[in-house]
Amino acid sequence: MGDTADAARRNFLSQAMLLSLVLRNGGSLVVYAVMVTTEYSVSAVGTAFALAAGAWATYRLITHSTTARVFAVDYAVTIVACLTIPMLASNVHVHLSTFSLVAIAGTAIISFTVFTPWINVALALGVAAAYVLGTTAFGWGHVGGNIAVYFAVLWLAATLNRVLMLRVTDSVDAARADRHAAELQHEVNAAVREYDREQLRLLHDTVASTLLIVGTGSAVSPTRIATQARRDLEVFDDRSWAPAPPADLVAALRDNIAHITTPVTLAGPTQMWLDGATATIVAAAAREALTNVDRHAAAAVVAVTIQPGLVRIADDGCGFDATQPTHGYGLANSIAARMRRLGGESVVTTAPGRGTTVELRWPTSTPVVNPADPERMIERARTGYSLMLTAYAIANLLAIAPTAMHSTAHPKLQLALIAVAAAITLSTVVRRLGVPGLPTRAGIAALLVVSLVQSASLPVAQLDTDVQWMQGAIGWCALPLLLNERLRYSISILVLCWTIPIGYAVVHDLSMHNIVDIGYGTVSVLLIQLCGLFFDNLIRGAAADAATETAARKQLLTANRIADAVQAEYLRRYADLAETIRPLLVSLADGAPLDAAVQQHAQNEYQRLRTLFDQSSIFQHVLLRELRPHIDAAQDRGVAVAINVDGALPTVDEAAARRIAHLLDLALAATSTAARITVTGESTGAEISVVCHGAKVAEIPTEIDVGANDGFDVTTLDDTVWITFQLQLAEGSASHDLAGHPA
């Protein structure tokens, strides 16, 4: 389990590392390619640097290496690019919003958030500082401060995304750990139940055998019967199948302390009552720890501290090196293994010459039955992420509104288009609240229309400027609408939203300036938006994993609860039965005469015991649970009831089970001597057959209310009645084996 304890977190960090590598080097490669191919915004020296840096980015994208050494080269290339802005940006007319170094530095800062917080902060500050120095050297000192704010916003958003995703993955890991714990508990419970069944088999081979001999009047000497009865009483008095009574842990520890020679001080309560099993295991583990002190520690004194859920045993002896294999201490098998059986642990703190402290810890409260609900937390995380993207899109629209209204000939039209885009974006909030909103495809289509109208309303000279606000805003407006869609579909739509306004601008103004602006914008806008989609896809994958783990745990917990309840009820019934069998065995052990009354008593007790054995593997099925009280009532009246189950029983709802149980109750109530019940599983239902001997025929029902497809038949012969009930179920009902599990 240790390898999977943080599997979701490690998987996310691995994918995030790869995504950050693609973002950082893929974005840089596009920027360097634009620099080299256009020769528009880069000097000759800058061209050489762009070629070298582009080759490195290509190498990184091909190899996907995540070692510290290659990352250091990545970082150095980014720092050099920021410091050498004069060589890489010879034309100051390139838009600062999509400026090449903004694209390189911005994507790098986002990619660094995959690292731990302190490393992340140091790397981001280094890039921001290098960028400010580079712009100052280029004569853009007034720009550096504004871009630094932009970098800060990018860093904060990406860091929050990382924190959010780690919370999501940790919830998945917690759900997986809970499921593993439930599986372990299920296995432990199964082992305990198997042990109980083995003890009951022993009783079957001893007590039941004696009762059968006596009840059938076999020609066996009273001496042999007395000998067998004494053996059977020892089996009963052992009571290893029964829950251990509560025990005083402090008293058990005092008893252990009395057997060691090292002086002991005892601190804590004078009494601590625990269930018998827990007290026995903790006392045994403590005994082993105290024995180790006596044998190996050479201690002057050992202090035993008792608290709820904790026993601490600390000595001032020689100690030992915990990293080396121990000889004779038996920590793993004698102490740790015992505590694990309780769902607890043992913690050993020691060092050579500093003594040893052993802490025995066990749970003091019943674990929460209902599983945690990581899906709810993940859904809240997804909702928060959607709201964050929506807020960013709206803020982006508000930020560009002044420029759009004051720099165009149609300010009212621009305001209307901004309002429409904002309304479409906000429709995702309405849908998150469970209110039917604008369908995704209708919203995307409307945004594309807004984009075309906004571009068409501008003169050609403004198509490659900030006035064409839809070029950068349409993707952010569409992104919240695409979060619940398939990843490939979402990527296609996002690329389409970017391509349409870009295509319109290129068709109407095929200038080098426009092409450069589009290339840099692809990196600083579209690439980051695509990362937003991948991030949401990771959350969706985590949500699916959490749902799977939680569902598996719920099934295990439900199975454990049912099995525990059935086992407890079974043991209770056996204990009640034992109270009536034991007096009979005592009398037989004392040589009581085997008269007719004793034989009848033995026969009745044998039948009740045999019925219990037969039912031990089938009590979990709802039908048998409903039949059981009526069988018990008949047996209490002295009716010998036998039950047999043949085949895999189908899934039966409680209403049908109660209907069958009512029929059985009527039949058993009219029976005075014996009854045999046979339940046969069929592919489309079940057949319940009841043969009653010594029946009052007049009291047997000749017809009952049955389902539309059910069958009912009664056959009588003297005082014997045979009732058959056919239960027909809908097609597709699952079958269950005798333990109640799917067949």
Side-chain angles (χ1 to χ4, degrees), residues 208-457:
S209 176
T210 300
L211 294 177
L212 179 62
I213 292 174
V214 174
T216 56
S218 301
V220 179
S221 67
T223 302
R224 178 183 170 186
I225 293 296
T227 301
Q228 288 189 204
R230 285 192 291 271
R231 176 205 62 185
D232 297 343
L233 282 172
E234 292 179 1
V235 174
F236 260 110
D237 292 338
D238 176 46
R239 298 179 68 85
S240 58
W241 48 269
D248 181 7
L249 176 62
V250 177
L253 291 177
R254 288 184 183 277
D255 183 63
N256 292 338
I257 290 170
H259 293 84
I260 69 170
T261 58
T262 306
V264 178
T265 63
L266 186 62
T270 58
Q271 290 183 329
M272 181 179 290
W273 290 90
L274 304 175
D275 68 86
T278 300
T280 300
I281 292 175
V282 174
R287 181 182 64 243
E288 180 64 22
L290 290 169
T291 301
N292 285 338
V293 173
D294 231 19
R295 292 178 178 175
H296 307 288
V301 66
V302 56
V304 178
T305 305
I306 306 172
Q307 299 174 4
L310 172 67
V311 170
R312 181 182 297 109
I313 302 170
D315 68 69
D316 59 355
C318 60
F320 61 95
D321 186 353
T323 64
Q324 298 298 319
T326 58
H327 301 282
Y329 268 67
L331 294 175
N333 295 326
S334 298
I335 299 178
R338 284 190 172 106
M339 299 311 297
R340 282 196 297 269
R341 287 175 58 191
L342 292 178
E345 62 178 348
S346 63
V347 179
V348 179
T349 305
T350 186
R354 297 186 180 182
T356 301
T357 298
V358 177
E359 291 187 347
L360 309 177
R361 302 173 181 171
W362 67 95
T364 58
S365 59
T366 303
V368 178
V369 173
N370 292 324
D373 190 6
E375 297 105 314
R376 177 177 295 181
M377 192 282 288
I378 294 175
E379 184 58 32
R380 288 199 300 265
R382 293 195 66 203
T383 299
Y385 183 63
S386 175
L387 292 176
M388 182 178 67
L389 291 177
T390 302
Y392 182 84
I394 297 300
N396 194 32
L397 290 174
L398 293 176
I400 62 180
T403 301
M405 293 177 61
H406 293 92
S407 302
T408 66
H410 308 286
K412 292 183 179 180
L413 175 61
Q414 299 299 318
L415 181 60
L417 294 174
I418 290 175
V420 171
I424 295 171
T425 306
L426 289 172
S427 67
T428 58
V429 178
V430 175
R431 292 167 60 186
R432 283 285 177 183
L433 296 176
V435 179
L438 187 66
T440 299
R441 296 191 178 186
I444 296 297
L447 285 175
L448 292 175
V449 171
V450 169
S451 177
L452 289 173
V453 172
Q454 200 268 329
S455 298
S457 67

Side-chain angles (χ1 to χ4, degrees), residues 55-145:
W56 172 254
T58 302
Y59 168 78
R60 295 287 284 113
L61 291 173
I62 293 174
T63 61
H64 290 172
S65 175
T66 57
T67 63
R69 182 177 300 176
V70 294
F71 172 77
V73 177
D74 274 358
Y75 189 68
V77 171
T78 303
I79 293 296
V80 171
C82 292
L83 290 173
T84 56
I85 285 178
M87 293 187 299
L88 299 176
S90 59
N91 191 314
V92 299
H93 296 294
V94 177
H95 293 157
L96 296 181
S97 62
T98 55
F99 176 52
S100 59
L101 273 302
V102 174
I104 292 175
T107 53
I109 287 175
I110 294 175
S111 71
F112 295 152
T113 56
V114 71
F115 298 105
T116 55
W118 289 113
I119 296 177
N120 167 19
V121 170
L123 294 175
L125 287 177
V127 172
Y131 185 88
V132 171
L133 289 175
T135 53
T136 301
F138 196 43
W140 286 357
H142 63 289
V143 172

